[in-house]
């Protein structure tokens, strides 16, 4: 029982419990854990092993998430736990996502996390590295405290939580979410342990409707989701569910974990970005290619350089106080202020 605390969002069913935190909706038998390895059934009640169990905590620029249109040049106290509700073969953080929380670890309660964020001068919090939804109960306590002290709260997520979970996180103070779409159902089935792409698009759409700042990432993996039809699928659904103003990041894959295909050719990312721009996405980006011109922001109307970045650093910021292009006056969709 050590380190386990009662979980939220589950129901009892014939001696098992059904977890309703993510759309796997695992039926967990007595004494066992769900797919994520974090939530366990003891005596017909669901417990989480990740509450206050923090695997990493560090200050990071918000651009690294990536968030390019949210509090530019701010620093977020970024932290993680263990486990994941997907099992992507190329996971860069597999040492966290494929591990269970340790039996014993020094707890870091939400109040202490907030104190640390304030002491280090963070402008916000960010739950990242492994799937942040697995720190659900922790975030429900931390987010209102952080918001009360003027900090924003953000998630870097696979977007596979239930609708109820996302609504509760937003009610608690989630300000921004970055959702990674892997591809269509076939990509999730073959490479990520199975999941429904439609759920991820549903949550992208819901986040937008709930007024959360949203950015979408598509990791373009060599030989997996890099064909024109795969990229077109992402662009078309992005326009349908997120909308033209939401940034879409095509990021470069590098071999990791159980996947050894070569890194994504930069030309393929450029092709994806060009396709998105042509189809009507106003702010398509290229990520994980430091120094590339399309990690910077250009006015969608006149093409003027607005934010120059390099390797997650903001080098120039040319947007006027009322969030307009200084040359043509077009409105630039940004949330929060510049922190440079
Ligand atoms: S969070 Fe998702 S993967 Fe984990 S037990 Fe609940 S339904 Fe299963």
């Amino acid at each position: 029982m050590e380190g386990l605390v009662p979980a939220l969002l589950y129901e009892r069913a014939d001696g098992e419990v059904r977890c309703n935190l993510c759309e796997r909706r695992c039926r967990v038998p007595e004494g066992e854990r769900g797919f994520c390895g974090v939530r366990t059934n003891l005596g017909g009640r669901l417990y989480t092993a990740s509450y206050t169990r923090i695997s990493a905590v560090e200050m990071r620029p918000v651009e690294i998430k990536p968030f390019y249109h949210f509090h530019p040049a701010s620093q977020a106290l970024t932290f993680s736990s263990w486990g994941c509700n997907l099992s992507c073969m190329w996971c860069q953080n597999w040492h966290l996502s494929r591990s269970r929380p340790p039996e014993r670890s020094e707890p870091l309660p939400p109040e202490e996390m907030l104190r640390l964020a304030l002491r280090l001068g963070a402008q916000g919090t960010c739950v990242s590295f492994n799937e942040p939804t697995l720190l659900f109960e922790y975030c429900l306590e931390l987010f209102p405290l952080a918001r009360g002290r003027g900090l924003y709260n953000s998630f870097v997520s696979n977007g596979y939580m239930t609708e109820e979970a996302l609504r509760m996180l937003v009610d608690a103070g989630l300000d921004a979410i970055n959702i990674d779409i892997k591809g269509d159902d076939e990509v999730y089935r073959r490479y990520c342990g199975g999941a429904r792409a439609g759920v991820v698009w549903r949550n992208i759409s819901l986040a937008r409707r709930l007024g959360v700042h949203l950015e979408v990432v598509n990791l373009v993996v060599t030989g997996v989701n890099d064909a024109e039809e795969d990229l077109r699928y992402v662009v078309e659904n992005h326009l349908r569910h997120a909308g033209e103003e939401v940034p879409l990041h095509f990021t470069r894959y590098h071999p990791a974990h159980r996947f050894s295909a070569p890194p994504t050719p930069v030309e393929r990312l450029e092709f994806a970005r060009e396709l998105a721009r042509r189809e009507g996405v106003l702010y398509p980006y290229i990520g994980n290619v430091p120094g590339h011109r399309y990690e910077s922001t250009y006015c969608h109307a006149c093409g003027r350089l607005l934010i120059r970045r390099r390797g997650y650093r903001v080098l120039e910021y040319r947007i006027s106080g009322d969030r307009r292009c200084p040359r043509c006056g077009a409105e630039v969709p940004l949330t929060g202020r510049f922190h440079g």
Side-chain angles (χ1 to χ4, degrees):
M1 283 288 287
E2 191 172 347
L4 295 177
V5 303
L8 299 172
L9 291 185
Y10 71 96
E11 56 196 287
R12 298 180 196 215
D14 305 330
E16 297 183 333
V17 299
R18 190 169 87 139
C19 175
N20 293 322
L21 178 58
C22 89
E23 287 289 359
R24 284 200 179 277
R25 298 192 189 261
C26 299
R27 291 180 77 98
V28 188
E30 169 67 30
E32 309 237 334
R33 298 186 183 217
F35 182 96
C36 57
V38 169
R39 293 162 86 83
T40 186
N41 173 1
L42 291 177
R45 295 176 193 276
L46 194 65
Y47 292 83
T48 173
S50 67
Y51 179 81
T52 75
R53 301 282 189 82
I54 303 301
S55 59
V57 53
E58 62 187 56
M59 290 282 274
R60 295 197 132 201
V62 77
E63 283 75 18
I64 208 168
K65 313 302 176 190
F67 283 119
Y68 279 7
H69 289 229
F70 182 74
H71 287 272
S74 66
Q75 294 278 327
L77 187 65
T78 305
F79 58 90
S80 57
S81 60
W82 287 269
C84 191
N85 52 350
L86 298 183
S87 56
C88 304
M89 293 175 72
W90 47 78
C91 182
Q92 301 279 328
N93 292 316
W94 60 271
H95 55 295
L96 298 178
S97 65
R98 301 319 314 153
S99 304
R100 293 179 168 188
E103 290 287 310
R104 287 164 191 267
S105 69
E106 194 61 37
L108 189 58
E111 299 77 12
E112 278 184 37
M113 184 68 82
L114 175 61
R115 268 197 292 279
L116 184 60
L118 294 171
R119 185 160 56 78
L120 295 174
Q123 282 83 39
T125 72
C126 182
V127 200
S128 183
F129 305 135
N130 72 317
E131 174 51 37
T133 306
L134 300 177
L135 273 170
F136 182 68
E137 290 78 6
Y138 187 84
C139 292
L140 292 189
E141 292 182 28
L142 173 66
F143 286 178
L145 297 175
R147 183 177 273 183
R149 297 298 300 267
L151 303 187
Y152 63 71
N153 299 300
S154 61
F155 255 34
V156 178
S157 175
N158 59 36
Y160 209 59
M161 67 283 279
T162 57
E163 190 172 328
E164 189 179 4
L166 181 54
R167 286 182 184 277
M168 288 174 72
L169 287 162
V170 174
D171 287 345
L174 180 68
D175 296 294
I177 187 165
N178 173 313
I179 293 182
D180 181 8
I181 179 77
K182 318 283 180 190
D184 60 13
D185 283 353
E186 181 64 5
V187 172
Y188 283 98
R189 189 187 68 76
R190 287 186 66 183
Y191 302 101
C192 299
R196 287 170 289 142
V199 167
V200 181
W201 291 117
R202 178 201 71 194
N203 284 341
I204 284 172
S205 177
L206 179 61
R208 194 77 212 276
R209 279 186 280 123
L210 293 175
V212 179
H213 177 89
L214 170 70
E215 304 202 16
V216 176
V217 167
N218 176 219
L219 182 75
V220 180
V221 183
T222 310
V224 171
N225 59 359
D226 58 350
E228 180 172 345
E229 64 184 299
D230 300 317
L231 300 167
R232 204 169 272 286
Y233 163 84
V234 168
V235 169
E236 286 172 1
N237 280 283
H238 180 85
L239 287 166
R240 186 174 311 136
H241 298 282
E244 62 180 15
E245 290 192 348
V246 170
L248 174 57
H249 304 259
F250 295 102
T251 55
R252 189 180 199 199
Y253 141 91
H254 291 279
H257 191 30
R258 294 188 291 134
F259 216 70
S260 57
T264 326
V266 174
E267 304 75 48
R268 204 62 202 155
L269 299 165
E270 290 168 340
F271 175 82
R273 189 225 164 251
E274 182 52 35
L275 175 71
R277 185 76 182 98
R278 223 175 31 240
E279 294 298 319
V281 178
L282 300 184
Y283 295 95
Y285 292 102
I286 288 178
N288 286 350
V289 187
H292 196 284
R293 71 180 301 253
Y294 289 128
E295 62 180 359
S296 294
T297 299
Y298 301 87
C299 174
H300 72 270
C302 73
R304 184 187 164 111
L305 176 67
L306 296 176
I307 306 175
R308 190 153 70 89
R309 302 183 184 83
R310 188 183 168 89
Y312 314 118
R313 286 181 54 224
V314 175
L315 302 179
E316 274 181 81
Y317 186 84
R318 299 174 177 172
I319 299 173
S320 62
D322 60 352
R323 300 190 181 122
R324 290 188 180 277
C325 170
R327 182 159 73 190
C328 73
E331 207 171 318
V332 186
L334 280 176
T335 304
R337 65 178 180 84
F338 174 52
H339 294 263

